Amino acid sequence: MFPQEGSAREQLAFLLNYAVLAPSSHNTQPWLFRFRGDRLELYADRTRALPVVDPMDRELITSCGAALFHLRIALRHFGSEEVVEAFPDPELPDLLARVGVKGKWEPTPEEDTLLRAIPARRTNRLAFDDRQVPERLLAQLQAAAAEEGACLHIIDGRYARSAVADLIEEGDEIQWSDPHFRRELAAWVHPNRSRSRDGIPGYALGMPDLLSYVGPIAFRTFDLGKGRATKDRQLALSSPSLALLGTVADGPPAWLAAGQALGRLLLRARNDGIFASFLNQPVEVAELRPKISVIVGTQDFPQILLRLGYGKQPRPTPRRPVSEILLPSS
Protein backbone atom coordinates (compact mmCIF):
# COMPACT_ATOMS: atom_id res chain seq x y z
CA MET A 1 0.00 0.00 0.00
CA PHE A 2 1.25 3.47 -0.92
CA PRO A 3 2.78 5.15 2.18
CA GLN A 4 0.64 8.30 2.01
CA GLU A 5 2.09 9.67 5.24
CA GLY A 6 5.62 8.48 4.51
CA SER A 7 8.63 10.52 3.50
CA ALA A 8 9.36 11.43 -0.12
CA ARG A 9 12.03 8.74 -0.15
CA GLU A 10 9.65 6.08 1.17
CA GLN A 11 7.07 7.03 -1.43
CA LEU A 12 9.55 6.92 -4.30
CA ALA A 13 10.84 3.54 -3.14
CA PHE A 14 7.28 2.19 -3.18
CA LEU A 15 6.73 3.49 -6.71
CA LEU A 16 9.73 1.51 -7.96
CA ASN A 17 7.44 -1.52 -7.79
CA TYR A 18 5.78 -0.08 -10.89
CA ALA A 19 9.02 0.91 -12.61
CA VAL A 20 10.41 -2.64 -12.51
CA LEU A 21 7.41 -3.94 -14.49
CA ALA A 22 8.62 -2.16 -17.64
CA PRO A 23 9.58 -4.23 -20.70
CA SER A 24 13.23 -4.86 -21.52
CA SER A 25 15.19 -6.71 -24.16
CA HIS A 26 15.42 -10.42 -23.16
CA ASN A 27 13.82 -9.28 -19.88
CA THR A 28 17.28 -8.28 -18.70
CA GLN A 29 15.84 -5.49 -16.51
CA PRO A 30 18.98 -3.37 -17.02
CA TRP A 31 18.20 -0.58 -14.57
CA LEU A 32 19.45 0.53 -11.19
CA PHE A 33 18.19 3.30 -8.91
CA ARG A 34 19.85 5.29 -6.16
CA PHE A 35 18.62 7.99 -3.82
CA ARG A 36 20.55 11.23 -3.80
CA GLY A 37 18.96 13.46 -1.22
CA ASP A 38 15.23 13.58 -1.94
CA ARG A 39 15.71 12.64 -5.60
CA LEU A 40 15.93 9.27 -7.28
CA GLU A 41 18.61 8.57 -9.87
CA LEU A 42 18.21 6.09 -12.72
CA TYR A 43 21.35 4.27 -13.87
CA ALA A 44 22.03 1.94 -16.76
CA ASP A 45 23.16 -1.43 -15.45
CA ARG A 46 25.82 -2.33 -18.03
CA THR A 47 26.40 -5.69 -16.35
CA ARG A 48 23.09 -6.69 -17.95
CA ALA A 49 24.06 -5.53 -21.41
CA LEU A 50 23.66 -7.68 -24.52
CA PRO A 51 26.92 -6.96 -26.38
CA VAL A 52 26.07 -9.13 -29.39
CA VAL A 53 22.50 -8.14 -30.17
CA ASP A 54 22.79 -4.62 -28.69
CA PRO A 55 26.44 -3.54 -29.00
CA MET A 56 25.72 0.19 -28.55
CA ASP A 57 23.37 -0.37 -25.57
CA ARG A 58 20.58 1.24 -27.57
CA GLU A 59 17.94 -1.24 -26.42
CA LEU A 60 19.35 -1.17 -22.89
CA ILE A 61 18.80 2.58 -22.61
CA THR A 62 15.41 2.30 -24.31
CA SER A 63 14.40 -0.26 -21.68
CA CYS A 64 15.48 2.14 -18.95
CA GLY A 65 13.36 4.82 -20.60
CA ALA A 66 10.29 2.59 -20.31
CA ALA A 67 11.01 2.09 -16.60
CA LEU A 68 11.35 5.85 -16.22
CA PHE A 69 7.95 6.38 -17.80
CA HIS A 70 6.35 3.84 -15.46
CA LEU A 71 7.85 5.75 -12.53
CA ARG A 72 6.54 9.06 -13.85
CA ILE A 73 3.00 7.74 -14.25
CA ALA A 74 3.09 6.18 -10.78
CA LEU A 75 4.17 9.51 -9.31
CA ARG A 76 1.30 11.33 -10.99
CA HIS A 77 -1.27 8.71 -10.05
CA PHE A 78 -0.33 9.07 -6.39
CA GLY A 79 -0.53 12.86 -6.50
CA SER A 80 2.96 14.21 -7.25
CA GLU A 81 4.21 16.22 -10.21
CA GLU A 82 7.59 14.94 -11.29
CA VAL A 83 10.65 16.83 -12.41
CA VAL A 84 13.07 14.87 -14.60
CA GLU A 85 16.64 15.78 -15.52
CA ALA A 86 17.86 13.57 -18.35
CA PHE A 87 21.61 12.89 -18.42
CA PRO A 88 22.31 15.43 -15.66
CA ASP A 89 26.07 14.75 -15.43
CA PRO A 90 28.09 14.43 -18.69
CA GLU A 91 30.89 12.73 -16.75
CA LEU A 92 28.55 9.94 -15.62
CA PRO A 93 27.18 8.33 -18.80
CA ASP A 94 25.48 5.58 -16.79
CA LEU A 95 23.39 8.17 -14.95
CA LEU A 96 20.41 8.44 -17.30
CA ALA A 97 18.02 10.58 -15.28
CA ARG A 98 17.38 12.22 -11.96
CA VAL A 99 13.75 12.29 -10.78
CA GLY A 100 12.27 14.47 -8.07
CA VAL A 101 8.92 15.76 -6.88
CA LYS A 102 7.99 19.24 -8.10
CA GLY A 103 4.70 19.62 -6.27
CA LYS A 104 1.18 18.26 -5.92
CA TRP A 105 -0.57 16.80 -8.94
CA GLU A 106 -4.19 15.97 -9.71
CA PRO A 107 -4.03 12.88 -11.93
CA THR A 108 -6.07 12.84 -15.11
CA PRO A 109 -8.39 9.91 -15.86
CA GLU A 110 -5.96 8.77 -18.55
CA GLU A 111 -3.04 8.77 -16.12
CA ASP A 112 -5.08 6.66 -13.72
CA THR A 113 -5.87 4.14 -16.46
CA LEU A 114 -2.22 4.03 -17.54
CA LEU A 115 -1.22 3.21 -13.96
CA ARG A 116 -3.76 0.39 -13.79
CA ALA A 117 -2.41 -1.00 -17.05
CA ILE A 118 1.12 -1.44 -15.68
CA PRO A 119 0.56 -4.80 -13.89
CA ALA A 120 -1.62 -6.02 -16.78
CA ARG A 121 0.88 -5.24 -19.55
CA ARG A 122 2.57 -8.28 -21.11
CA THR A 123 4.85 -8.90 -24.06
CA ASN A 124 2.82 -11.40 -26.05
CA ARG A 125 5.17 -13.43 -28.27
CA LEU A 126 2.45 -15.82 -29.49
CA ALA A 127 0.19 -15.53 -32.54
CA PHE A 128 -2.58 -12.92 -32.37
CA ASP A 129 -6.24 -13.28 -33.23
CA ASP A 130 -7.54 -12.27 -36.66
CA ARG A 131 -9.35 -9.25 -35.23
CA GLN A 132 -8.11 -5.98 -36.69
CA VAL A 133 -6.94 -3.04 -34.59
CA PRO A 134 -9.27 -0.08 -35.31
CA GLU A 135 -7.67 2.89 -37.04
CA ARG A 136 -8.83 5.23 -34.27
CA LEU A 137 -6.87 3.20 -31.72
CA LEU A 138 -3.76 3.21 -33.89
CA ALA A 139 -4.09 6.99 -34.15
CA GLN A 140 -4.28 7.19 -30.36
CA LEU A 141 -1.11 5.13 -30.07
CA GLN A 142 0.60 7.47 -32.51
CA ALA A 143 -0.49 10.41 -30.36
CA ALA A 144 0.85 8.65 -27.26
CA ALA A 145 4.28 8.23 -28.87
CA ALA A 146 4.29 11.83 -30.08
CA GLU A 147 3.58 13.05 -26.54
CA GLU A 148 6.98 11.64 -25.52
CA GLY A 149 8.86 13.01 -28.52
CA ALA A 150 8.83 9.96 -30.80
CA CYS A 151 6.90 8.95 -33.89
CA LEU A 152 4.96 5.72 -34.40
CA HIS A 153 4.75 4.81 -38.08
CA ILE A 154 1.97 2.36 -38.95
CA ILE A 155 3.19 0.02 -41.69
CA ASP A 156 0.29 -0.18 -44.13
CA GLY A 157 -0.08 -1.80 -47.51
CA ARG A 158 0.73 -5.26 -48.77
CA TYR A 159 4.08 -4.26 -50.28
CA ALA A 160 5.39 -2.51 -47.16
CA ARG A 161 4.30 -5.30 -44.81
CA SER A 162 5.79 -7.96 -47.07
CA ALA A 163 9.05 -6.02 -47.41
CA VAL A 164 9.33 -5.57 -43.64
CA ALA A 165 8.57 -9.28 -43.14
CA ASP A 166 11.39 -10.06 -45.59
CA LEU A 167 13.78 -7.95 -43.50
CA ILE A 168 12.70 -9.74 -40.33
CA GLU A 169 13.38 -13.07 -42.03
CA GLU A 170 16.78 -11.90 -43.24
CA GLY A 171 17.64 -10.52 -39.81
CA ASP A 172 16.80 -13.83 -38.16
CA GLU A 173 19.04 -15.74 -40.52
CA ILE A 174 21.93 -13.33 -39.98
CA GLN A 175 21.62 -13.36 -36.20
CA TRP A 176 21.15 -17.10 -35.76
CA SER A 177 24.13 -17.87 -37.98
CA ASP A 178 26.32 -16.19 -35.33
CA PRO A 179 27.19 -18.61 -32.49
CA HIS A 180 27.85 -15.64 -30.19
CA PHE A 181 24.26 -14.46 -30.71
CA ARG A 182 22.94 -17.94 -29.97
CA ARG A 183 24.95 -18.24 -26.75
CA GLU A 184 23.84 -14.81 -25.60
CA LEU A 185 20.17 -15.61 -26.23
CA ALA A 186 20.43 -19.03 -24.57
CA ALA A 187 21.89 -17.45 -21.45
CA TRP A 188 18.67 -15.47 -20.96
CA VAL A 189 16.16 -18.25 -21.74
CA HIS A 190 15.24 -20.24 -18.63
CA PRO A 191 13.26 -23.40 -17.90
CA ASN A 192 9.64 -22.87 -16.91
CA ARG A 193 10.33 -23.94 -13.33
CA SER A 194 13.44 -21.78 -12.93
CA ARG A 195 13.67 -19.58 -9.86
CA SER A 196 15.42 -16.85 -11.85
CA ARG A 197 13.82 -13.43 -11.51
CA ASP A 198 14.89 -12.25 -14.95
CA GLY A 199 15.24 -13.53 -18.50
CA ILE A 200 12.67 -15.26 -20.69
CA PRO A 201 10.98 -18.34 -19.24
CA GLY A 202 10.23 -21.01 -21.81
CA TYR A 203 6.47 -20.58 -21.42
CA ALA A 204 6.77 -17.04 -22.82
CA LEU A 205 8.04 -18.64 -26.04
CA GLY A 206 5.28 -21.26 -26.07
CA MET A 207 7.48 -24.05 -24.68
CA PRO A 208 6.01 -26.79 -22.47
CA ASP A 209 7.97 -27.73 -19.35
CA LEU A 210 10.19 -30.44 -20.84
CA LEU A 211 11.06 -28.47 -23.96
CA SER A 212 11.89 -25.43 -21.83
CA TYR A 213 14.85 -27.38 -20.38
CA VAL A 214 16.07 -28.47 -23.82
CA GLY A 215 15.46 -25.18 -25.62
CA PRO A 216 18.47 -23.21 -24.36
CA ILE A 217 20.78 -26.13 -25.20
CA ALA A 218 19.38 -26.28 -28.72
CA PHE A 219 19.74 -22.52 -29.12
CA ARG A 220 23.42 -22.67 -28.22
CA THR A 221 24.19 -25.71 -30.33
CA PHE A 222 22.25 -25.36 -33.57
CA ASP A 223 21.64 -22.68 -36.16
CA LEU A 224 17.83 -22.56 -36.04
CA GLY A 225 17.70 -19.45 -38.17
CA LYS A 226 15.76 -20.90 -41.10
CA GLY A 227 12.92 -22.17 -38.93
CA ARG A 228 12.88 -19.07 -36.74
CA ALA A 229 12.95 -16.81 -39.78
CA THR A 230 9.99 -18.58 -41.38
CA LYS A 231 7.99 -18.39 -38.17
CA ASP A 232 8.75 -14.72 -37.52
CA ARG A 233 7.97 -13.78 -41.11
CA GLN A 234 4.57 -15.40 -40.75
CA LEU A 235 4.02 -13.69 -37.40
CA ALA A 236 4.69 -10.35 -39.07
CA LEU A 237 2.40 -11.00 -42.03
CA SER A 238 -0.44 -12.37 -39.90
CA SER A 239 -0.32 -9.70 -37.19
CA PRO A 240 -3.18 -7.19 -37.35
CA SER A 241 -0.75 -4.25 -37.25
CA LEU A 242 2.95 -3.58 -37.63
CA ALA A 243 4.46 -0.33 -36.42
CA LEU A 244 7.89 1.28 -36.28
CA LEU A 245 8.83 3.58 -33.42
CA GLY A 246 11.32 6.17 -34.60
CA THR A 247 13.06 9.33 -33.42
CA VAL A 248 14.38 12.33 -35.33
CA ALA A 249 17.79 11.96 -33.68
CA ASP A 250 19.90 9.00 -32.58
CA GLY A 251 22.06 8.43 -29.53
CA PRO A 252 21.39 7.98 -25.80
CA PRO A 253 19.00 10.95 -25.27
CA ALA A 254 16.88 9.79 -28.21
CA TRP A 255 16.95 6.20 -26.98
CA LEU A 256 15.78 7.28 -23.51
CA ALA A 257 12.95 9.28 -25.09
CA ALA A 258 12.03 6.32 -27.31
CA GLY A 259 11.75 4.15 -24.20
CA GLN A 260 9.38 6.61 -22.55
CA ALA A 261 7.30 6.73 -25.73
CA LEU A 262 7.28 2.94 -25.82
CA GLY A 263 6.15 2.82 -22.19
CA ARG A 264 3.28 5.22 -22.82
CA LEU A 265 2.00 3.61 -26.01
CA LEU A 266 2.20 0.05 -24.63
CA LEU A 267 0.15 1.01 -21.58
CA ARG A 268 -2.29 2.91 -23.77
CA ALA A 269 -2.61 -0.18 -25.98
CA ARG A 270 -3.19 -2.48 -23.00
CA ASN A 271 -6.10 -0.33 -21.86
CA ASP A 272 -7.84 -1.21 -25.12
CA GLY A 273 -7.03 -4.90 -24.93
CA ILE A 274 -4.16 -4.67 -27.41
CA PHE A 275 -0.99 -6.69 -26.91
CA ALA A 276 2.42 -6.05 -28.44
CA SER A 277 5.66 -7.88 -29.01
CA PHE A 278 8.90 -7.01 -30.71
CA LEU A 279 10.33 -7.99 -34.09
CA ASN A 280 13.48 -5.91 -33.81
CA GLN A 281 15.75 -7.96 -36.06
CA PRO A 282 15.83 -5.32 -38.84
CA VAL A 283 16.72 -2.66 -36.27
CA GLU A 284 19.35 -4.76 -34.51
CA VAL A 285 21.25 -5.83 -37.66
CA ALA A 286 23.28 -2.79 -38.72
CA GLU A 287 23.06 -3.32 -42.48
CA LEU A 288 19.27 -3.75 -42.33
CA ARG A 289 18.45 -0.75 -40.15
CA PRO A 290 18.53 1.90 -42.91
CA LYS A 291 16.49 -0.35 -45.19
CA ILE A 292 13.49 -0.35 -42.89
CA SER A 293 13.44 3.46 -42.93
CA VAL A 294 13.28 3.39 -46.71
CA ILE A 295 10.42 0.88 -46.72
CA VAL A 296 8.43 2.84 -44.16
CA GLY A 297 9.21 6.10 -45.96
CA THR A 298 10.68 8.05 -43.07
CA GLN A 299 13.91 9.83 -42.24
CA ASP A 300 13.47 8.96 -38.57
CA PHE A 301 15.98 6.66 -36.93
CA PRO A 302 14.32 3.27 -36.37
CA GLN A 303 14.29 2.25 -32.71
CA ILE A 304 11.62 -0.42 -32.14
CA LEU A 305 9.61 -2.61 -34.52
CA LEU A 306 6.32 -3.73 -32.99
CA ARG A 307 3.53 -6.10 -33.83
CA LEU A 308 0.17 -5.18 -32.35
CA GLY A 309 -3.00 -7.19 -31.96
CA TYR A 310 -5.45 -9.05 -29.78
CA GLY A 311 -4.86 -12.38 -28.07
CA LYS A 312 -5.07 -14.35 -24.87
CA GLN A 313 -3.49 -12.91 -21.73
CA PRO A 314 -0.07 -14.58 -21.35
CA ARG A 315 1.57 -15.39 -18.06
CA PRO A 316 3.77 -12.62 -16.67
CA THR A 317 7.51 -12.92 -16.89
CA PRO A 318 9.43 -12.70 -13.58
CA ARG A 319 10.79 -9.49 -12.12
CA ARG A 320 13.56 -8.76 -9.66
CA PRO A 321 12.43 -7.22 -6.37
CA VAL A 322 13.09 -3.57 -5.68
CA SER A 323 15.73 -4.53 -3.13
CA GLU A 324 17.92 -5.87 -5.94
CA ILE A 325 17.80 -2.76 -8.12
CA LEU A 326 18.14 -0.11 -5.42
CA LEU A 327 21.74 0.91 -4.82
CA PRO A 328 22.95 2.20 -1.42
CA SER A 329 22.33 5.93 -1.02
CA SER A 330 25.29 8.17 -1.56
Side-chain angles (χ1 to χ4, degrees), residues 49-317:
L50 300 169
V52 179
V53 77
D54 186 29
M56 301 299 292
D57 287 347
R58 181 182 57 80
E59 291 183 1
L60 184 152
I61 293 174
T62 300
S63 300
C64 290
L68 174 60
F69 180 76
H70 279 208
L71 178 62
R72 288 172 49 209
I73 283 298
L75 271 164
R76 291 192 171 202
H77 171 81
F78 287 103
S80 295
E81 182 179 7
E82 81 281 9
V83 56
V84 178
E85 298 175 82
F87 297 93
D89 190 338
E91 295 186 2
L92 295 174
D94 289 350
L95 176 55
L96 305 183
R98 189 173 287 143
V99 183
V101 174
K102 189 175 183 179
K104 297 293 184 181
W105 181 264
E106 185 66 33
T108 66
E110 180 182 6
E111 288 165 348
D112 285 340
T113 59
L114 291 177
L115 188 283
R116 288 194 294 271
I118 289 177
R121 187 210 61 80
R122 307 276 191 275
T123 298
N124 191 332
R125 299 172 177 85
L126 307 179
F128 293 148
D129 299 339
D130 292 335
R131 179 182 170 193
Q132 294 300 304
V133 179
E135 289 187 9
R136 66 174 180 82
L137 294 183
L138 293 175
Q140 291 170 0
L141 298 184
Q142 289 178 306
E147 194 167 342
E148 300 298 329
C151 186
L152 186 69
H153 303 273
I154 306 302
I155 301 171
D156 289 323
R158 181 178 299 177
Y159 166 77
R161 287 175 64 93
S162 179
V164 169
D166 288 345
L167 285 185
I168 292 168
E169 182 177 31
E170 185 178 357
D172 268 327
E173 292 180 355
I174 291 171
Q175 289 182 325
W176 279 86
S177 68
D178 183 353
H180 301 289
F181 167 86
R182 300 200 303 270
R183 284 197 293 270
E184 183 176 83
L185 174 62
W188 289 97
V189 176
H190 304 314
N192 291 347
R193 298 177 185 272
S194 170
R195 294 184 179 181
S196 177
R197 306 305 300 170
D198 56 17
I200 308 170
Y203 61 75
L205 301 173
M207 295 180 184
D209 285 351
L210 181 59
L211 185 57
S212 72
Y213 285 94
V214 178
I217 300 172
F219 290 173
R220 284 193 298 269
T221 308
F222 304 108
D223 180 356
L224 305 176
K226 281 290 185 183
R228 184 73 254 178
T230 300
K231 183 176 181 179
D232 284 343
R233 187 179 193 280
Q234 185 55 40
L235 273 179
L237 290 174
S238 63
S239 293
S241 295
L242 291 177
L244 178 69
L245 185 67
T247 53
V248 296
D250 209 12
W255 303 339
L256 191 70
Q260 293 180 82
L262 179 67
R264 181 179 285 276
L265 76 88
L266 289 181
L267 296 181
R268 182 66 183 80
R270 189 78 284 272
N271 280 333
D272 286 295
I274 301 168
F275 287 105
S277 67
F278 307 100
L279 292 169
N280 284 333
Q281 299 89 328
V283 183
E284 293 167 345
V285 178
E287 60 263 39
L288 301 183
R289 195 179 181 204
K291 294 182 180 181
I292 194 169
S293 295
V294 173
I295 293 170
V296 175
T298 178
Q299 294 184 338
D300 286 351
F301 290 92
Q303 305 296 352
I304 301 288
L305 182 59
L306 291 162
R307 53 188 285 267
L308 302 161
Y310 300 94
K312 295 180 180 179
Q313 177 89 333
R315 292 168 60 185
T317 51

